[in-house]
Amino acid sequence: MNVINNQSNKIELFKYLEGVFSDLEQQKIALDKSAIVAITNTKGDITYINDKFCEISKYNEQELIGRNHRIVNSGFHPPEFFIALWKTISAGNIWQGEIKNRAKDGSYYWVSTTIVPYLDDKQKPYQYVSIRFDITKQKQQEEDLKNRTQQLEDFCFIISHNLRSPLSNLLILTSMLEASETFEDQKLLISKLSKPINTLNETFSELVESLQVKRDLQIEKEELSFEACLLDVMQMLSLDLMETEFELTHDFNNTTSITYPKKYLVSYMHNLLSNAFRYRSPDRKLTIKISSYTSNEKTYLKVSDNGLGIDMKNHGSKLFGLRKTFHGHPDAKGFGLFITKTQIETLGGKITAESEFGKGTTFYIQF
Amino acid sequence: MTTVESLYLIDDDDTFQFLAQRTIAETKVVKLIKIFSNGKEAIDFLGYAIDNFEQLPEVIFLDLSMPIMDGWGFLENFLLLKPKIGKKIFIYILSSSINPTDIERAQAINDVTDYVVKPITKDKFLALIKSL
């Protein structure tokens, strides 16, 4: 009797366990299909990864097993970030957060991460299971939105500032005109009107031009050769600029062409080259170097000159502002770079500059 | 009414220079107005006038956005000169920028008496000078 009972108990238990295993198996499949999973030992060395982990990190299983999880560290987070993470999980607590990682090919990805410590019977962690979800796209959108808001805010201040200066001059001038009693004096005041009015008019045209690109987004992109574009631009540059002696070298061998709206590429090159000519140093022959290259799957154009340069410490943040000039140069109007920046950013790129006062300037356009 | 012996106006906009000079003259409370087109011109002059009490201003009207050396650059250099200047100088920032970042930054500098947003009418000028 006892034996039979024992036997049927075992069968029951076996059936029960079989059910549990099957459930676990199903849950693992569900998890592997949806999440990026890794298991590490207490030192952070990887002991298990699923296919999704390989897919996003672009490493294969052999390259990851036994390696420390730091292999995907992007360097984006400060050391304190990971110290706090380790403190949490080594105390047996669950850690949750967003991490930027780096894949084998150098590209970055963001993951919403939960790390669960598995505890032994003394409540000490013996391994860590991390479950992540790819949030790269959301992060990108968040970033874009932030940039866009920043851009709009800057734009608002720029408009208010640049329209306000001439406008406030006009306000005072007209009130003076109203109070003025002699014809001579009125004539003098009237002669002062044209300058702020012209400034207003120019500022307005520039703003319209820089906004135009936002409507132009559907403009056709075409395969453009950097060299052909440069030749076009050289022909467009006004003759008086070109009268100076200069040496222009270019190297487009790394990346010969780009798919981009022609009008804008020409405009960027034109503005950067005109700037190089306009702000050349009187002490030395102007040399300009243009090159293109690809990094992180993005195309860059680099334009450097040996001109006057800008004091980046004092002016760096305002370099791309509207109507900013730095040299007191007579024909500087200071809107070329503002428009260039707006156009590049609207088309999803970035422009940055490095410069040293008295040495020269280098611009980088990331398309 | 307080009279001001000497006032420096630092602003690159020549229309504003004309208007400010005329408005200040109309108030009849300022004896001498010196005009500089950027921060560097003014700093250079201050450096040269440092031992000459008469040449030093009591009031400086300072624009922010200028070529070569802007208002912030001027303030930075002014602070370096200040220990050697034996005169109390009131600095007013007169700017058309309404960017809160600019205003906060100016307010954080002890030597800036006030931040005034352009346009500056005759009444505003008078009020400024009276408040000295």
Side-chain angles (χ1 to χ4, degrees):
Chain A
M1 200 61 190
N2 208 350
V3 175
I4 293 166
N5 235 343
N6 215 344
Q7 194 68 21
S8 73
N9 270 349
K10 267 186 182 166
I11 290 166
E12 292 268 298
L13 186 64
F14 185 75
K15 273 191 176 156
Y16 170 72
L17 281 177
E18 207 174 38
V20 169
F21 281 133
S22 165
D23 280 357
L24 273 177
E25 188 71 15
Q26 304 284 347
Q27 273 177 27
K28 188 180 173 318
I29 291 168
L31 191 64
D32 281 339
K33 286 282 172 212
S34 61
I36 300 154
V37 181
I39 300 176
T40 72
N41 63 16
T42 48
K43 282 183 275 174
D45 299 332
I46 297 168
T47 54
Y48 168 85
I49 39 127
N50 72 352
D51 290 346
K52 278 189 110 59
F53 192 108
C54 293
E55 200 182 299
I56 195 162
S57 70
K58 303 195 169 75
Y59 288 99
N60 63 39
E61 201 175 336
Q62 288 84 350
E63 290 170 307
L64 289 168
I65 298 292
R67 295 288 302 271
N68 194 280
H69 204 289
R70 279 193 301 269
I71 192 169
V72 291
N73 189 334
S74 64
F76 174 81
H77 305 281
E80 302 85 63
F81 179 86
F82 290 107
I83 291 171
L85 182 158
W86 275 101
K87 230 178 166 174
T88 309
I89 58 174
S90 60
N93 299 314
I94 293 173
W95 185 90
Q96 275 183 315
E98 293 177 347
I99 304 180
K100 184 178 183 178
N101 281 337
R102 205 171 85 121
K104 189 183 178 185
D105 65 355
S107 62
Y108 295 101
Y109 61 93
W110 276 93
V111 276
S112 163
T113 304
T114 305
I115 304 177
V116 184
Y118 279 20
L119 305 177
D120 60 18
D121 47 10
K122 291 187 196 96
Q123 297 300 302
K124 285 200 82 170
Y126 63 91
Q127 67 177 13
Y128 302 112
V129 179
S130 67
I131 298 162
R132 298 151 208 260
F133 295 94
D134 183 1
I135 52 163
T136 311
K137 228 184 201 158
Q138 288 94 309
K139 276 281 166 188
Q140 186 60 47
Q141 282 166 344
E142 212 174 278
E143 181 90 345
D144 287 352
L145 200 63
K146 240 201 259 162
N147 287 342
R148 212 86 187 107
T149 316
Q150 183 64 43
Q151 247 188 65
L152 278 173
E153 213 167 81
D154 288 351
F155 196 71
C156 231
F157 288 128
I158 284 165
I159 290 177
S160 86
H161 182 251
N162 289 281
L163 296 179
R164 193 180 262 272
S165 308
L167 204 59
S168 71
N169 283 342
L170 285 172
L171 279 174
I172 301 181
L173 268 171
T174 46
S175 73
M176 279 181 178
L177 260 173
E178 276 164 10
S180 172
E181 280 162 5
T182 70
F183 179 62
E184 279 308 306
D185 189 48
Q186 286 163 6
K187 247 173 81 177
L188 172 69
L189 290 171
I190 287 172
S191 74
K192 300 280 176 193
L193 284 173
S194 64
K195 202 167 170 183
I197 289 176
N198 283 333
T199 312
L200 266 184
N201 183 40
E202 274 167 30
T203 306
F204 185 74
S205 318
E206 287 151 28
L207 289 174
V208 171
E209 190 182 331
S210 63
L211 285 170
Q212 207 92 54
V213 65
K214 300 188 198 282
R215 298 163 150 263
D216 252 10
L217 274 180
Q218 301 91 335
I219 197 168
E220 226 173 291
K221 290 180 180 176
E222 49 187 309
E223 173 97 5
L224 301 168
S225 137
F226 281 112
E227 193 165 355
C229 263
L230 178 62
L231 283 175
D232 281 359
V233 170
M234 293 308 287
Q235 285 181 347
M236 282 162 56
L237 281 172
S238 63
L239 286 172
D240 54 319
L241 287 182
M242 307 280 288
E243 254 171 36
T244 43
E245 216 190 319
F246 68 96
E247 188 187 311
L248 186 137
T249 50
H250 62 81
D251 177 6
F252 301 127
N253 294 326
N254 183 295
T255 308
T256 54
S257 65
I258 183 173
T259 310
Y260 206 74
K262 183 167 185 191
K263 175 173 148 190
Y264 292 114
L265 182 60
V266 167
S267 155
Y268 306 160
M269 280 190 175
H270 187 264
N271 273 337
L272 292 181
L273 287 182
S274 316
N275 269 330
F277 276 102
R278 205 168 281 139
Y279 305 117
R280 64 187 176 267
S281 164
D283 305 331
R284 50 185 176 266
K285 183 174 156 190
L286 173 66
T287 60
I288 306 174
K289 289 184 195 136
I290 306 188
S291 57
S292 54
Y293 58 95
T294 304
S295 164
N296 255 335
E297 291 174 9
K298 298 209 161 98
T299 305
Y300 290 80
L301 184 71
K302 177 178 164 188
V303 180
S304 45
D305 65 53
N306 65 344
L308 291 171
I310 304 155
D311 177 358
M312 292 298 278
K313 196 178 127 266
N314 282 323
H315 295 303
S317 61
K318 294 171 289 182
L319 180 57
F320 300 102
L322 185 64
R323 304 196 78 81
K324 285 286 176 195
T325 64
F326 302 98
H327 306 289
H329 197 279
D331 45 292
K333 282 193 185 146
F335 58 84
L337 286 179
F338 173 74
I339 290 179
T340 300
K341 183 177 194 274
T342 315
Q343 290 170 340
I344 292 170
E345 286 178 355
T346 310
L347 288 159
K350 265 187 206 144
I351 178 165
T352 52
E354 284 168 7
S355 186
E356 204 175 323
F357 189 70
K359 294 253 172 88
T361 310
T362 303
F363 288 98
Y364 299 87
I365 297 177
Q366 177 214 301
F367 292 97
Chain B
M1 185 183 279
T2 352
T3 52
V4 175
E5 290 294 325
S6 163
L7 180 150
Y8 286 7
L9 174 71
I10 312 171
D11 198 310
D12 63 318
D13 176 355
D14 49 9
T15 310
F16 184 76
Q17 288 175 4
F18 166 83
L19 295 171
Q21 198 167 20
R22 188 169 155 130
T23 315
I24 295 168
E26 278 175 17
T27 63
K28 296 199 176 73
V29 291
V30 178
K31 284 203 178 142
L32 181 79
I33 304 170
K34 259 196 182 317
I35 294 180
F36 303 93
S37 292
N38 63 65
K40 190 166 185 309
E41 281 182 16
I43 278 294
D44 288 350
F45 190 85
L46 274 176
Y48 148 83
I50 208 152
D51 299 320
N52 200 334
F53 195 82
E54 299 296 301
Q55 297 266 22
L56 294 172
E58 291 154 77
V59 183
I60 293 177
F61 285 166
L62 178 67
D63 184 25
L64 287 181
S65 159
M66 290 179 285
I68 302 169
M69 186 195 284
D70 65 6
W72 304 118
F74 173 83
L75 286 168
E76 227 170 83
N77 284 284
F78 178 81
L79 289 182
L80 297 177
L81 279 181
K82 205 188 144 194
K84 290 185 243 160
I85 298 177
K87 196 171 190 173
K88 169 75 189 157
I89 300 179
F90 295 91
I91 299 178
Y92 288 90
I93 290 178
L94 308 191
S95 168
S96 46
S97 164
I98 50 163
N99 189 336
T101 324
D102 284 340
I103 298 172
E104 277 161 29
R105 189 172 165 193
Q107 279 166 347
I109 302 173
N110 272 334
D111 289 86
V112 174
T113 309
D114 207 353
Y115 185 106
V116 188
V117 177
K118 290 177 186 174
I120 317 283
T121 57
K122 189 176 163 186
D123 293 343
K124 261 199 206 172
F125 265 122
L126 268 177
L128 280 187
I129 289 160
K130 269 189 199 157
S131 70
L132 288 180

